[in-house]
Amino acid sequence: MNTTAFQHYYANLQEVRLHYVTVGQGKPVVLLHGWPQTWYEWRLIMPLLADKYRLIAPDLRGLGDSSRTAGGYDKKTVAADVWQLMHEHLKYDTFAVVGHDVGSVVAFRLGSRI
């Protein structure tokens, strides 16, 4: 298995369609980008971690190839999007989260929800 080949997917969630990229194998880690970036921010880091972790890097609501909605850009709603992606769509009971810039406040909100 080539653990460094990025795979692109879409998840149709309750309010938004999220684009996300995966690579690697092992324990799941979701990577949350900053503003105004996309999953692509993580492209150089992901191959370095792919042999130990299953990395999931979504484009947050309204950015990259994810859909743009009229509202819902607060950290609570964006964290709920990530929770739905990881828990309901990808079926992970537990996962680690790493955030940068705006992604860090979403990560904090996501962590406080669990």
Side-chain angles (χ1 to χ4, degrees):
M1 177 178 162
N2 182 357
T3 59
T4 59
F6 295 127
Q7 297 176 320
H8 294 258
Y9 300 98
Y10 288 91
N12 294 314
L13 306 178
Q14 290 176 356
E15 297 179 4
V16 67
R17 182 177 192 226
L18 290 187
H19 168 257
Y20 64 99
V21 175
T22 65
V23 68
Q25 55 192 5
K27 294 182 180 181
V29 177
V30 63
L31 303 170
L32 304 178
H33 61 77
W35 172 262
Q37 297 150 343
T38 67
W39 81 269
Y40 196 70
E41 172 186 357
W42 299 105
R43 74 193 181 285
L44 300 177
I45 300 296
M46 292 172 78
L48 301 175
L49 302 172
D51 62 334
K52 294 183 181 180
Y53 301 100
R54 179 70 172 160
L55 302 161
I56 300 97
D59 288 339
L60 298 178
R61 175 187 290 240
L63 295 167
D65 290 327
S66 290
S67 66
R68 285 122 184 97
T69 58
Y73 294 96
D74 58 283
K75 63 186 172 217
K76 180 180 179 181
T77 304
V78 176
D81 292 343
V82 176
W83 175 256
Q84 285 178 50
L85 172 67
M86 296 300 291
H87 186 73
E88 297 171 15
H89 183 77
L90 294 175
K91 307 295 186 201
Y92 289 115
D93 290 328
T94 61
F95 55 91
V97 60
V98 176
H100 162 73
D101 187 56
V102 169
S104 66
V105 295
V106 174
F108 181 81
R109 181 67 173 125
L110 183 62
S112 66
R113 172 190 176 112
I114 298 173

